[in-house]
């Protein structure tokens, strides 16, 4: 029989509020796994045990828990009685493939149950000696072995595995509140959402849609990005904001070189309004310093000036290759590069202003009915609950 041993990350450092973090993590795990197969999930001594009722589903369960924030490492372990004979036999059976392919090995033991009559070192020495005697091709190596056989002796059972693999790390989603992610169809914003979800934020996506300048397929691309993010972020509502009328008003009334800046100021105003309506305490953008004209320091000062909520920019000091690496890891990259334009590419000025002055921006905005444009856009949003469609199929 197999069980997954999930070791918690930084939440073990929490104080009196630690249980709240643990409960949230357990809830996240149970909620994600209920769509896969029945599992028993329990925590003891800061270790989460996931007992999979159907062994054939263990790989599927493992794939899900790899993407749950708050888990530092994962061990796929065999379960046995707490006797030397049972532990050795289980190791030889469960790790037969590892043993056959290794030339050197060592044994490590953790004795969580202090009532067990032998120390950790004694257990390792005894079973290690027996394995060394039985398998002529295996040589002991305490420093750089090909295979480390791990035994964990807990209160009710002993567990045998070949070592942990990294978990997703971070904090359980929902433990640090909720924030609104400005989600475009590009590479950067999904990565920004991933990084802030890793810090425990529950996300609400906001996408600005400029039909007919951008197609329905462009909107579907963003929905697909949100779906791909769901295994990490949990189910994320996506608020699609009609943005065409605002962009046309800016085009018709404002200087071309500051079009993008005024457009982004509208986005931030609308995002803050929607964030407050959805109990979000911050905004998240995929901005990286100097990457494009609207992401210079003066430009971000101008666009951020309309917000009273904090604006998190987790990519601010990253270069494009670093961002792309995370996008590939999370699976969003291939969808992000599909050739469907988003609203940020509509009416792009040939010579954008990279050092804007706020008084000039305010002067240009005076020609616009800002409040009514915002109210009309907010009152006509489309709400898409991502993560639901694939589970219902």
């Amino acid at each position: 029989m197999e069980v997954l041993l999930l070791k918690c990350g930084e939440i073990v450092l929490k104080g009196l509020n630690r249980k709240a973090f643990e409960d949230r993590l357990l809830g996240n795990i149970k909620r994600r796994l209920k769509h896969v197969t029945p599992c028993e999930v329990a925590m003891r001594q800061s270790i989460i045990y996931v007992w999979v009722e159907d062994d054939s589903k263990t790989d599927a369960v493992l794939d899900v828990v790899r993407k749950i924030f708050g888990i530092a490492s994962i061990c796929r372990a065999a379960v046995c009685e707490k006797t030397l004979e049972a532990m050795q036999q289980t190791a030889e059976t469960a790790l037969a493939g590892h043993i056959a392919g290794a030339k050197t090995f060592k044994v490590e033991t953790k004795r969580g149950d202090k009532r067990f009559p032998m120390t950790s070192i004694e257990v390792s020495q005894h079973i290690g000696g027996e394995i060394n005697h039985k398998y002529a091709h295996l040589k002991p190596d305490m420093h750089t072995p090909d295979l480390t056989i791990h035994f964990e002796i807990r209160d009710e059972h002993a567990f045998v595995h070949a070592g942990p693999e990294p978990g997703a790390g971070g904090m359980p989603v929902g433990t640090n509140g909720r924030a609104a992610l400005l989600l475009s169809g590009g590479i950067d914003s999904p990565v920004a959402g991933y990084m802030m979800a890793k810090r425990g934020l529950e996300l609400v996506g906001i996408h600005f849609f400029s039909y007919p300048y951008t197609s329905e397929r462009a909107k579907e691309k963003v929905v697909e990005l949100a779906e791909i993010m769901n295994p990490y972020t949990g189910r994320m509502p996506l608020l699609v904001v009609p943005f065409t009328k605002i962009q046309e008003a800016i085009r018709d009334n404002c200087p071309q070189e500051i079009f993008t800046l005024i457009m982004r100021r509208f986005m931030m105003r609308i995002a803050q309004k929607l964030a407050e309506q959805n109990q979000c305490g911050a905004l998240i953008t995929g901005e990286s310093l100097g990457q494009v004209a609207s992401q210079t320091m003066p430009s971000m000062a101008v666009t951020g000036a309309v917000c009273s909520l904090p604006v998190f920019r987790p990519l601010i000091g990253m270069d494009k290759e670093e961002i792309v690496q995370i996008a590939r890891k999370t699976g969003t990259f291939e969808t992000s590069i599909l050739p469907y334009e988003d609203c940020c590419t509509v009416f792009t000025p040939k010579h954008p202003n990279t050092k804007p002055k706020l008084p000039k921006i305010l002067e240009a905005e005076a020609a616009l009915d800002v409040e009514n444009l915002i109210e009309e856009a907010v009152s006509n949003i489309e709400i898409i609950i991502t993560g639901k469609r694939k589970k219902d199929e």
Side-chain angles (χ1 to χ4, degrees), residues 2 26 52 58 82 94 101 132-133 158 186 220 223 230 257 355:
E2 286 188 314
L26 284 171
V52 186
T58 302
K82 297 190 294 183
N132 184 43
H133 178 73
E220 284 300 312
V223 175
N230 280 168
E257 67 273 11
K355 297 179 180 179

Side-chain angles (χ1 to χ4, degrees), residues 293-307:
S294 64
Q295 294 175 23
T296 64
M297 188 159 55
S299 294
M300 286 189 286
V302 164
T303 57
V306 297
C307 296

Side-chain angles (χ1 to χ4, degrees), residues 163-383:
E165 65 171 86
M171 304 285 283
V173 169
T175 54
N176 279 321
R178 178 183 291 183
L181 169 66
L182 280 71
L183 185 62
S184 71
I187 297 171
D188 300 338
S189 56
V191 173
Y194 164 86
M195 292 180 68
M196 296 313 302
K198 187 173 183 177
R199 296 312 306 156
L201 284 178
E202 183 181 347
L203 302 183
V204 173
I206 300 176
H207 176 64
F208 296 90
F209 183 50
S210 295
Y211 184 82
Y213 301 106
T214 55
S215 66
E216 284 290 333
R217 187 63 188 88
K219 182 173 74 173
E220 284 300 312
K221 171 184 171 181
V222 175
V223 175
E224 180 62 24
L225 285 171
E227 298 278 1
I228 295 169
M229 294 170 65
N230 280 168
Y232 295 99
T233 66
R235 186 175 292 181
M236 175 173 61
L238 180 62
L239 312 182
V240 180
V241 181
F243 205 56
T244 306
K245 188 171 182 179
I246 291 173
Q247 287 189 291
E248 290 176 339
I250 298 170
R251 177 199 62 189
D252 295 340
N253 293 281
C254 299
Q256 186 186 66
E257 67 273 11
I258 58 173
F259 174 90
T260 302
L261 293 169
I262 295 177
M263 178 191 73
R264 290 189 65 83
R265 281 167 62 87
F266 269 93
M267 287 180 173
M268 299 299 274
R269 289 183 178 105
I270 293 170
Q272 170 152 313
K273 196 174 190 68
L274 293 175
E276 291 169 346
Q277 290 177 1
N278 288 271
Q279 296 78 51
C280 296
L283 305 180
I284 303 168
T285 74
E287 293 165 300
S288 174
L289 185 61
Q291 183 170 243
V292 294
S294 64
Q295 294 175 23
T296 64
M297 188 159 55
S299 294
M300 286 189 286
V302 164
T303 57
V306 297
C307 296
S308 58
L309 288 179
V311 179
F312 295 152
R313 299 178 173 95
L315 312 187
I316 196 69
M318 299 175 67
D319 63 33
K320 198 66 177 183
E321 184 54 36
E322 292 172 313
I323 298 168
V324 166
Q325 286 177 6
I326 298 174
R328 291 186 185 279
K329 170 186 172 183
T330 59
T332 58
F333 179 76
E334 294 300 329
T335 300
S336 291
I337 62 174
L338 291 174
Y340 303 106
E341 295 183 332
D342 61 33
C343 70
C344 292
T345 61
V346 177
F347 311 136
T348 303
K350 292 182 179 180
H351 304 289
N353 188 340
T354 60
K355 297 179 180 179
K357 303 296 183 184
L358 187 55
K360 291 290 185 182
I361 301 295
L362 295 174
E363 180 182 344
E365 285 181 344
L368 302 170
D369 189 354
V370 173
E371 292 303 321
N372 282 334
L373 286 168
I374 290 172
E375 287 301 324
E376 182 176 348
V378 169
S379 64
N380 287 286
I381 63 168
E382 176 187 4
I383 302 175

